[in-house]
Amino acid sequence: MTYTNFALDIDADGIALVTWDMPDRSMNVFTEEVMRELDAIVDKVASDAAIKGAVITSGKETFSGGADLAMLQKMLATFAAESRKDRAAATKKLFETAGYMSHLFRKLETCGKPWVSAINGTCMGGAFELSLACHGRLAAGSDKVRMALPEVKVGIFPGAGGTQRVPRLTDQQQALQMLTSGQNLSPQKAKAMGLVHDVVEPGKLVEAAKAMIAAGLKPVQPWDEKGFKLPGGPIYSAAGANLWPPAIAILRRETYGNYPAAAAILKCVYEGLLVPFDTALRIEQRYFTEIMQTREAAAMIRSLFVSLQELNKGARRPEGIAPTKFRKIGVLGAGFMGAGIAYVTAKAGIPVVLLDRDLESAEKGKAHSAGLMDGLVRKGRATPDEKDRLLSLITPTADYADLAGCDLVIEAVFEDSAVKKAATEQAEAMLKSSAVFASNTSTIPITSLAKNSVRPKNFVGIHFFSPVDRMMLVEIILGRKTGDKALAVAMDYVRAIKKTPIVVNDTRGFYVNRCVLRYMSEAYKMLIEGVPAPMIENAARAAGMPVGPLALTDETAVDLAQKIMKQTMRDLGDKAVDPSQMDLIDTMVDKFDRKGRKNGKGFYDYPAKPAKKSLWPGLKDLYPQKEPEDVDYEELKQRFLAVIALEAARVMEEGIVTDPREADVGSILAFGFAPYTGGALSYIDGIGAKAFVKMAKGLQKKYGAEFKAPRLLSDMAEKGETFYQRFDPYAKPKTKEAA
């Protein structure tokens, strides 16, 4: 038999080498065809008396990314369609389909022949579950090798035996931490946990795997042998009593009950370790089927896997424009943002000129990269040679002539129109006509800044978030005259530095900042209402936000919030800002000098380490306080999510963002909008436009105009539409729309 995705070679010693190498794919993934072929190979190995055992490895640099989640999305779509006819039959079919991979791996480990997984690169999800089902597991000793079961990050969990094999190979505490966090394991960490048998030189990996079989590797897993005992002891033991109650409490503290898959992992492990292995797999399969039917799984798979991958691959990139190979990039301004941009550019292997008003300032900006690399070296995530190589790519300068030959220049100077005008004019004088100029402005419209350019078609916004090295989202902002080539170059650059681009049309605050400002504004309003500050922060986190709005204000600076409010009033009039909120921020900054983390005091106090920050006690004296029992805590959570989602809907209505994938992914990556919802628009879709509008009207009546649903939502409610129906990203190629 011939295989499309595998090569099967049997050596003179009777050991089969199964090489997984999918054609036309950069990474191996499990598809229906892959699983059918692997099933046939297992049968071949088991039935052929000449085969003593099998080694499975990859023909690519990576081992496998795991299951093709697009396949799971298709499975969910089929279930949704069939459940409308017969829910029980559809659920039964989903249960059977979801269990196929688990049954396949169980078949492999009980086939009577030894299997060894030779992990030569990244090994994720279902691929690691396959490896765990093998009787021997070897990993190449390389920094490029990482193993993980990351399914919880996209709303599901390891449903092909992962929740049962991991806690039978390592102690339950480490197993739970790994499974509920989706953490990456280095080869050394995996070996220490007992998840791989050994770490070997990359060039000797297959040879070592074959040697395991030749040495008489038993084709029986530990849990299938009589007398098997769990590492660390059984559930009902002193160790178990010390582990499980805190584990449940910790999960609740970390997830606030928002992630059904994480809770299901604890149930699978706890219940599965009390019964025989095959029964445990069936328990896992039942929970997996249950989780696959949740709103959270559907939304997270779509946004955090399918849509994220599509955007990372350039879904919004204009067609017919050749990819840009960057030879040299310029960054104007060596402050915190500019230095961060230079760092991520150099880390991508692209030479960068870092320009500031004097050489000393530019050198200081380069030192930021040195500091970041020093941190990576200390953590063992980079070598001194890699640090030197990165720094060699950054040229600090104060001379605009050094920008000659740049394919792209990114301006990150002070947020002042006059300063930006001067920088633009001086830089463009040195650039070739085909070069693209980008501004990293966070407040000034790109169309306005483009008036300083002699080539407005080649002028675009590339808006980074702070800190640049850690934030994965970049907004690409189109001015009224920005051309497709400038957009394509900007997207090529963002993808080159391994960040996710979203395309935004020009408006004040663009997309992300408009939503974030609503989030913080709602917190100020609650504080003025007399809601105790701890309830505000806790409600936001319980709603799914990673950082409370008061803490976020401190991080970005309270005096910056003051400047933004005053600028908004100058531009749009006094009524554009709630005077009571302006008074709150003025009081914080002008009366109490509380500017945020940067001066050690804001809504929080920041004592010297190791003490942790705590809310400023003086907050309770600013306004008459409500008693906690008089505050509707669930409504606080609702207000935070709804006020952001409504702003996202307005942005779609105004044509600022035109693709719901970008609105959803952007809201999660930029400011952590409750990932379990799938993003700001998926939150509305999950509730249903009709129910959401009804909820918004109730909030508007109690709390004001920020909860007024835009006409778009009312129209969608009447028609029973979702955002992904109304703005179907797959219906036709997207084109740039003017703001």
Side-chain angles (χ1 to χ4, degrees):
M1 179 179 177
T2 57
Y3 308 99
T4 302
N5 301 287
F6 296 92
L8 178 61
D9 298 295
I10 303 168
D11 67 15
D13 296 321
I15 299 175
L17 177 62
V18 181
T19 305
W20 189 1
D21 194 356
M22 299 179 74
D24 305 320
R25 291 261 196 168
S26 59
M27 180 180 284
N28 294 322
V29 293
F30 279 103
T31 63
E32 294 175 22
E33 182 183 50
V34 165
M35 287 189 285
R36 284 195 300 270
E37 290 188 3
L38 182 58
D39 202 339
I41 291 172
V42 172
D43 286 340
K44 168 71 174 173
V45 171
S47 62
D48 191 334
I51 298 178
K52 295 178 181 178
V55 173
I56 184 165
T57 192
S58 169
K60 302 182 186 297
E61 289 187 0
T62 57
F63 188 87
S64 168
D68 182 0
L69 289 188
M71 176 180 68
L72 295 183
Q73 194 178 39
K74 178 183 175 183
M75 188 192 307
L76 290 175
T78 301
F79 168 76
E82 294 183 353
S83 64
R84 287 191 285 268
K85 303 173 186 175
D86 187 335
R87 177 83 181 193
T91 302
K92 183 180 179 182
K93 183 177 179 181
L94 180 63
F95 176 77
E96 293 169 351
T97 306
Y100 179 54
M101 185 182 288
S102 183
H103 298 325
L104 172 58
F105 296 168
R106 184 60 174 157
K107 178 179 178 179
L108 180 150
E109 73 180 353
T110 59
C111 74
K113 301 283 182 72
W115 280 73
V116 178
S117 176
I119 303 170
N120 63 312
T122 300
C123 183
M124 297 286 165
F128 194 43
E129 289 180 288
L130 165 64
S131 298
L132 295 173
C134 291
H135 309 94
R137 295 168 298 282
L138 298 178
S142 166
D143 291 339
K144 295 180 180 179
V145 177
R146 287 290 182 271
M147 291 155 275
L149 295 173
E151 289 88 341
V152 72
K153 295 180 179 180
V154 291
I156 55 177
F157 68 86
T163 67
Q164 301 310 311
R165 292 187 178 91
V166 171
R168 284 172 169 81
L169 290 169
T170 193
D171 66 85
Q172 293 161 40
Q173 182 174 344
Q174 289 194 93
L176 291 178
Q177 183 178 356
M178 174 191 172
L179 292 165
T180 57
S181 68
Q183 70 181 116
N184 284 345
L185 303 177
S186 66
Q188 292 74 22
K189 176 67 173 176
K191 181 183 178 183
M193 290 175 65
L195 300 181
V196 300
H197 291 95
D198 207 354
V199 179
V200 300
E201 292 182 29
K204 298 180 179 179
L205 185 63
V206 172
E207 176 187 338
K210 288 185 174 184
M212 283 187 80
I213 296 174
L217 178 67
K218 289 180 68 174
V220 181
Q221 293 283 24
W223 45 85
D224 288 325
E225 295 201 89
K226 188 175 181 179
F228 169 70
K229 293 182 179 180
L230 291 170
I235 294 282
Y236 295 135
S237 65
N242 288 328
L243 169 66
W244 285 95
I248 295 166
I250 290 169
L251 182 72
R252 179 69 187 179
R253 183 192 69 192
E254 296 298 319
T255 69
Y256 293 91
N258 290 324
Y259 295 86
I265 288 171
L266 263 66
K267 296 173 185 177
C268 282
V269 175
Y270 186 91
E271 296 174 26
L273 295 183
L274 294 172
V275 298
F277 190 75
D278 286 305
T279 306
L281 289 180
R282 194 162 182 83
I283 289 171
E284 180 189 73
Q285 188 178 347
R286 285 176 173 169
Y287 277 117
F288 190 78
T289 304
E290 178 184 309
I291 293 302
M292 285 289 285
Q293 298 176 62
T294 62
R295 179 194 301 173
E296 291 83 358
M300 291 179 74
I301 288 172
R302 179 173 66 189
S303 292
L304 292 174
F305 184 80
V306 177
S307 294
L308 182 60
Q309 278 200 344
E310 290 169 348
L311 295 178
N312 284 338
K313 291 177 181 177
R316 291 295 311 280
R317 190 183 188 279
E319 296 180 359
I321 298 174
T324 305
K325 293 182 180 179
F326 295 100
R327 292 161 295 183
K328 183 179 176 183
I329 285 176
V331 177
L332 309 184
F336 186 65
M337 289 298 289
I341 296 168
Y343 170 76
V344 296
T345 304
K347 197 171 185 185
I350 304 170
V352 55
V353 173
L354 182 59
L355 184 146
D356 212 309
R357 61 183 179 275
D358 53 57
L359 187 58
E360 183 182 358
S361 299
E363 291 280 8
K364 185 178 178 181
K366 181 175 179 177
H368 175 74
S369 291
L372 289 174
M373 288 302 292
D374 284 339
L376 294 179
V377 171
R378 282 194 300 271
K379 295 173 184 176
R381 293 165 55 189
T383 65
D385 285 345
E386 287 172 333
K387 173 191 171 182
D388 293 342
R389 189 157 52 248
L390 182 142
L391 293 177
S392 72
L393 292 171
I394 302 175
T395 303
T397 185
D399 188 351
Y400 277 88
D402 289 335
L403 297 175
C406 283
D407 306 293
L408 169 69
V409 169
I410 303 168
E411 169 269 302
V413 301
F414 187 68
E415 198 74 351
D416 179 282
S417 296
V419 176
K420 289 182 181 292
K421 182 177 188 296
T424 302
E425 292 173 346
Q426 291 181 78
E428 283 194 345
M430 302 297 168
L431 299 178
K432 55 189 176 185
S433 60
S434 60
V436 171
F437 191 95
S439 175
N440 179 54
T441 181
S442 58
T443 58
I444 306 172
I446 291 299
T447 300
S448 171
L449 292 175
K451 293 177 181 177
N452 302 321
S453 171
V454 295
R455 296 165 297 188
K457 285 187 177 181
N458 282 8
F459 197 102
V460 67
I462 300 182
H463 181 211
F464 288 86
F465 299 92
S466 182
V468 176
D469 59 297
R470 287 163 51 193
M471 299 298 286
M472 297 311 298
L473 186 80
V474 176
E475 284 182 311
I476 297 176
I477 301 105
L478 305 180
R480 291 188 184 276
K481 295 184 179 180
T482 302
D484 280 351
K485 183 195 170 183
L487 171 57
V489 170
M491 292 198 75
D492 290 344
Y493 168 69
V494 174
R495 292 169 65 200
I497 60 174
K498 293 181 170 58
K499 295 190 183 292
T500 299
I502 63 171
V503 181
V504 181
N505 285 314
D506 206 8
T507 187
R508 174 182 296 275
F510 312 130
Y511 169 54
V512 169
N513 283 347
R514 279 180 57 166
C515 292
V516 170
L517 291 174
R518 288 287 185 185
Y519 177 51
M520 293 191 287
S521 174
E522 198 61 23
Y524 308 155
K525 192 169 183 178
M526 290 175 182
L527 203 60
I528 294 164
E529 291 168 11
V531 178
M535 292 190 76
I536 294 172
E537 295 290 86
N538 288 336
R541 289 194 294 269
M545 303 299 289
V547 180
L550 301 180
L552 182 60
T553 304
D554 276 3
E555 293 296 331
T556 57
V558 185
D559 59 330
L560 176 61
Q562 183 186 50
K563 291 174 184 175
I564 291 172
M565 286 179 168
K566 289 182 177 179
Q567 185 64 48
T568 301
M569 291 168 65
R570 284 194 292 270
D571 293 344
L572 303 178
D574 291 347
K575 293 182 179 180
V577 173
D578 183 336
S580 62
Q581 293 185 35
M582 187 77 253
D583 182 63
L584 165 63
I585 298 301
D586 283 344
T587 298
M588 292 289 291
V589 175
D590 300 334
K591 183 176 180 180
F592 294 106
D593 191 36
R594 304 191 70 88
K595 298 178 181 178
R597 180 184 280 276
K598 68 180 184 180
N599 79 328
K601 51 184 181 178
F603 288 102
Y604 284 76
D605 284 322
Y606 298 88
K609 292 182 179 181
K612 293 184 178 180
K613 70 179 182 182
S614 58
L615 281 160
W616 176 43
L619 289 175
K620 66 179 182 296
D621 301 322
L622 297 181
Y623 304 96
Q625 295 284 285
K626 291 182 177 180
E627 293 298 324
E629 57 268 24
D630 295 331
V631 178
D632 187 335
Y633 189 68
E634 291 301 314
E635 190 174 71
L636 295 183
K637 292 161 58 178
Q638 194 178 71
R639 285 170 67 179
F640 280 128
L641 298 186
V643 78
I644 296 171
L646 282 163
E647 192 64 23
R650 293 184 192 104
V651 166
M652 292 294 291
E653 182 179 61
E654 296 166 20
I656 305 305
V657 175
T658 60
D659 189 322
R661 296 174 297 181
E662 293 178 308
D664 274 341
V665 172
S667 68
I668 295 173
L669 293 189
F671 56 92
F673 182 89
Y676 67 91
T677 66
L681 299 185
S682 284
Y683 171 66
I684 298 174
D685 282 355
I687 295 172
K690 186 174 182 180
F692 182 85
V693 168
K694 182 179 179 181
M695 177 184 76
K697 285 180 178 178
L699 293 173
Q700 180 186 356
K701 188 174 181 180
K702 292 177 71 173
Y703 300 108
E706 67 264 37
F707 291 103
K708 183 178 181 181
R711 184 174 298 177
L712 167 67
L713 269 182
S714 299
D715 188 52
M716 287 171 56
E718 289 177 12
K719 296 177 180 177
E721 288 181 325
T722 66
F723 278 99
Y724 283 82
Q725 291 169 336
R726 181 74 168 242
F727 301 93
D728 184 354
Y730 307 105
K732 57 183 179 180
K734 291 289 178 181
T735 56
K736 179 171 73 73
E737 295 180 23

